[in-house]
PDB file of all heavy atoms in Angstrom:
ATOM      1  N   LEU A 840       7.533  -1.555   7.212  1.00 98.00           N
ATOM      2  CA  LEU A 840       7.202  -2.731   6.404  1.00 98.00           C
ATOM      3  C   LEU A 840       5.696  -2.969   6.381  1.00 98.00           C
ATOM      4  O   LEU A 840       5.069  -3.159   7.427  1.00 98.00           O
ATOM      5  CB  LEU A 840       7.919  -3.972   6.956  1.00 98.00           C
ATOM      6  CG  LEU A 840       7.539  -5.320   6.320  1.00 98.00           C
ATOM      7  CD1 LEU A 840       7.808  -5.347   4.826  1.00 98.00           C
ATOM      8  CD2 LEU A 840       8.297  -6.455   7.000  1.00 98.00           C
ATOM      9  N   ASP A 842       2.893  -5.438   4.910  1.00 97.00           N
ATOM     10  CA  ASP A 842       2.674  -6.743   4.291  1.00 97.00           C
ATOM     11  C   ASP A 842       1.276  -6.759   3.669  1.00 97.00           C
ATOM     12  O   ASP A 842       0.276  -6.716   4.386  1.00 97.00           O
ATOM     13  CB  ASP A 842       2.809  -7.837   5.364  1.00 97.00           C
ATOM     14  CG  ASP A 842       2.634  -9.233   4.793  1.00 97.00           C
ATOM     15  OD1 ASP A 842       1.953  -9.382   3.758  1.00 97.00           O
ATOM     16  OD2 ASP A 842       3.175 -10.179   5.393  1.00 97.00           O
ATOM     17  N   LYS A 845      -1.161  -9.077   5.276  1.00 91.00           N
ATOM     18  CA  LYS A 845      -1.421  -9.054   6.712  1.00 91.00           C
ATOM     19  C   LYS A 845      -2.137  -7.775   7.154  1.00 91.00           C
ATOM     20  O   LYS A 845      -2.569  -7.669   8.299  1.00 91.00           O
ATOM     21  CB  LYS A 845      -0.107  -9.199   7.509  1.00 91.00           C
ATOM     22  CG  LYS A 845       0.677 -10.458   7.190  1.00 91.00           C
ATOM     23  CD  LYS A 845       0.070 -11.671   7.857  1.00 91.00           C
ATOM     24  CE  LYS A 845       0.908 -12.938   7.740  1.00 91.00           C
ATOM     25  NZ  LYS A 845       1.253 -13.393   6.398  1.00 91.00           N
ATOM     26  N   GLY A 871       6.022  -9.626   1.778  1.00 97.00           N
ATOM     27  CA  GLY A 871       5.649 -10.658   2.742  1.00 97.00           C
ATOM     28  C   GLY A 871       6.014 -11.978   2.111  1.00 97.00           C
ATOM     29  O   GLY A 871       6.284 -12.046   0.904  1.00 97.00           O
ATOM     30  N   SER A 995      10.603 -12.127  10.943  1.00 97.00           N
ATOM     31  CA  SER A 995       9.444 -11.369  11.382  1.00 97.00           C
ATOM     32  C   SER A 995       8.864 -12.012  12.644  1.00 97.00           C
ATOM     33  O   SER A 995       8.712 -13.225  12.719  1.00 97.00           O
ATOM     34  CB  SER A 995       8.422 -11.378  10.250  1.00 97.00           C
ATOM     35  OG  SER A 995       7.336 -10.619  10.611  1.00 97.00           O
ATOM     36  N   ASN A1044       5.558  -5.918  12.230  1.00 97.00           N
ATOM     37  CA  ASN A1044       4.409  -6.300  13.074  1.00 97.00           C
ATOM     38  C   ASN A1044       3.912  -5.196  13.988  1.00 97.00           C
ATOM     39  O   ASN A1044       2.702  -5.028  14.153  1.00 97.00           O
ATOM     40  CB  ASN A1044       4.776  -7.516  13.937  1.00 97.00           C
ATOM     41  CG  ASN A1044       4.688  -8.797  13.132  1.00 97.00           C
ATOM     42  OD1 ASN A1044       3.608  -9.194  12.704  1.00 97.00           O
ATOM     43  ND2 ASN A1044       5.820  -9.423  12.891  1.00 97.00           N
TER      44      ASN A1044
HETATM   45 MG1   MG B1473       5.117 -10.813   8.431  1.00 75.30          MG
END
Side-chain angles (χ1 to χ4, degrees):
L840 173 59
D842 182 334
K845 302 283 188 303
S995 183
N1044 281 294

